[in-house]
Amino acid sequence: MKKRVALVLGSGGARGYAHIGVIEEIERRGYDIACIAGCSMGAVVGGIYAAGKLNEYRDWIESLDYLDVLRLVDVSFRLGAIRGEKVFGQIRKIVGEINIEDLRIPYTAVATDLTNQQEIWFQAGCLHQAIRASAAIPSLFTPVMQGNRMLVDGGLLNPLPIVPVVSSHCDLIIAVNLNSTNQRHYQLPVIQRPAAFKSRFDNLINSLGSKMPFRRKQAEQLLLLEQEALKAEAAEINPWIESAEPEAQQPAAAPQGEGAPKSATGSFIIDNVGPASLLDLINQSFEVMQTSLAQYKIAGYPPDVLINVPKRVCRFFEFYKAPELIALGREIARDTMDRYENEQN
């Protein structure tokens, strides 16, 4: 008989694509995923899986190149850099109009209510609305207004929502933490991309952060210029041509000098890495908070299996790295499950 798994999918921006690889490996081993709780990208992937549409979602995100991702950026400089209507509109097309109580397995999406300063669990109602609220990353996506509540990313209070599955009566709880600070031996697999596309996308992301706040008209003009330049460049470049030099994936080496600064734990502090923009600064701060909170959640409710994805493998908003992150999630899940199963024998 298959072992029933309660799966917990944490928040972590673009690293959430690794959840797909984890799910694939768990299913490959013959486990039965009987319920899911997710936060932010964990809520996105978990909700799509519970709706039985994960293959369609994976096909879509793996088909996106840098220009496609750019076209999904509907700029807003009100309460977030991106309105999210294009991205979440596509997700809505994939999952359809379905309520959480009608999904094939129990599902919980976790969001944060800024108005009342509390954690919100979505266990009934519209699946798409729950996903949108849980994944409203502050500074990146605009919040969701629900009555008198302003809902944003659940990672503000609970980046790894283990509690909703504790009473599920499954054989084991598997949690996927996207904010691990160890696992230094794991690297993203190198999948070549057109260098010109990547350069333009990175420039746009940096522009979103470094120029906030400024007038809406100026923002729209900036985006239009970026889009036109990228389209002109794309017309001259075959998107199937690979870059001559792969993007480096190795982490920066820590300083080894005697006077190099150290953290409270005694580890060397890397002082040559910093935020490239205001948006990057906000998201790095958000990630530091999530990392600390995740450790408290793990200590309070230790899962049977903890799959740790290192947060250094990509930046929070590098949503164009789906193929690499899915492959990495599968690799880490395989190694972690091997260790767990060996211990059980």
Side-chain angles (χ1 to χ4, degrees):
M1 184 176 177
K2 289 184 178 180
K3 282 190 174 182
R4 299 174 72 251
V5 168
L7 186 60
V8 181
L9 304 179
S11 65
R15 291 188 301 278
Y17 288 142
H19 290 319
I20 299 175
V22 171
I23 289 173
E24 291 176 348
E25 180 62 22
I26 290 173
E27 290 192 323
R28 188 188 70 80
R29 290 172 177 265
Y31 293 93
D32 177 25
I33 299 176
C35 70
I36 288 183
C39 174
S40 194
M41 273 296 287
V44 173
V45 174
I48 293 172
Y49 172 81
K53 301 293 184 179
L54 192 59
N55 289 337
E56 291 90 332
Y57 178 67
R58 175 179 174 160
D59 290 343
W60 174 57
I61 60 175
E62 288 194 324
S63 72
L64 300 176
D65 61 23
Y66 302 113
L67 182 57
D68 294 324
V69 173
L70 179 62
R71 287 171 177 157
L72 293 171
V73 177
D74 46 358
V75 175
S76 167
F77 287 87
R78 183 168 170 264
L79 291 174
I82 302 171
R83 287 192 297 272
E85 293 175 4
K86 293 182 179 179
V87 174
F88 292 103
Q90 182 63 35
I91 292 174
R92 189 171 195 164
K93 289 181 182 178
I94 292 173
V95 301
E97 298 295 335
I98 186 171
N99 287 332
I100 294 173
E101 56 267 35
D102 297 325
L103 296 173
R104 57 195 179 94
I105 58 175
Y107 166 79
T108 303
V110 176
T112 299
D113 177 3
L114 287 182
T115 305
N116 299 298
Q117 301 181 19
Q118 63 184 7
E119 186 177 322
I120 300 295
W121 292 5
F122 288 93
Q123 296 178 318
C126 177
L127 173 63
H128 173 261
Q129 290 181 4
I131 288 174
R132 177 65 179 87
S134 181
I137 303 169
S139 80
L140 191 60
F141 291 112
T142 55
V144 172
M145 300 305 300
Q146 192 178 81
N148 65 343
R149 301 189 304 186
M150 177 180 287
L151 304 178
V152 297
D153 195 309
L156 280 173
L157 294 177
N158 193 352
L160 195 62
I162 300 173
V163 176
V165 304
V166 169
S167 61
S168 64
H169 304 295
C170 289
D171 297 304
L172 69 158
I173 296 175
I174 298 178
V176 185
N177 174 28
L178 300 180
N179 295 288
S180 173
T181 55
N182 50 23
Q183 309 289 72
R184 296 190 63 84
H185 58 288
Y186 286 113
Q187 305 293 333
L188 278 185
V190 176
I191 298 177
Q192 303 290 357
R193 304 297 179 90
F197 285 171
K198 180 183 185 303
S199 175
R200 282 293 180 182
F201 183 85
D202 286 345
N203 288 341
L204 174 65
I205 290 296
N206 290 335
S207 296
L208 289 175
S210 62
K211 297 184 180 296
M212 289 192 297
F214 63 102
R215 291 182 300 171
R216 181 180 181 85
K217 184 175 181 181
Q218 292 174 319
E220 292 173 345
Q221 289 174 344
L222 173 66
L223 180 62
L224 180 61
L225 288 174
E226 290 282 359
Q227 289 176 326
E228 291 301 322
L230 184 54
K231 289 176 183 177
E233 198 161 1
E236 299 175 1
I237 299 174
N238 183 342
W240 300 107
I241 296 177
E242 295 184 346
S243 172
E245 296 182 6
E247 179 183 352
Q249 298 292 343
Q250 298 296 328
Q256 299 298 323
E258 183 146 336
K262 295 184 178 181
S263 70
T265 59
S267 59
F268 286 103
I269 297 175
I270 301 174
D271 59 5
N272 63 338
V273 178
S277 66
L278 176 59
L279 182 62
D280 206 12
L281 173 63
I282 294 171
N283 283 320
Q284 283 191 29
S285 302
F286 186 46
E287 287 197 297
V288 169
M289 178 190 66
Q290 286 191 113
T291 300
S292 179
L293 284 173
Q295 294 306 312
Y296 282 111
K297 299 300 181 182
I298 293 167
Y301 295 91
D304 299 290
V305 179
L306 178 62
I307 297 174
N308 280 311
V309 177
K311 67 177 182 179
R312 59 170 174 76
V313 295
C314 79
R315 290 188 295 173
F316 197 81
F317 41 72
E318 291 182 316
F319 290 98
Y320 53 85
K321 293 186 175 180
E324 296 93 334
L325 288 160
I326 292 171
L328 180 65
R330 191 185 307 112
E331 177 188 0
I332 296 176
R334 182 185 65 241
D335 294 345
T336 305
M337 295 306 296
D338 279 346
R339 289 193 295 271
Y340 168 76
E341 290 174 357
N342 289 336
E343 291 172 357
Q344 302 305 303
N345 295 333

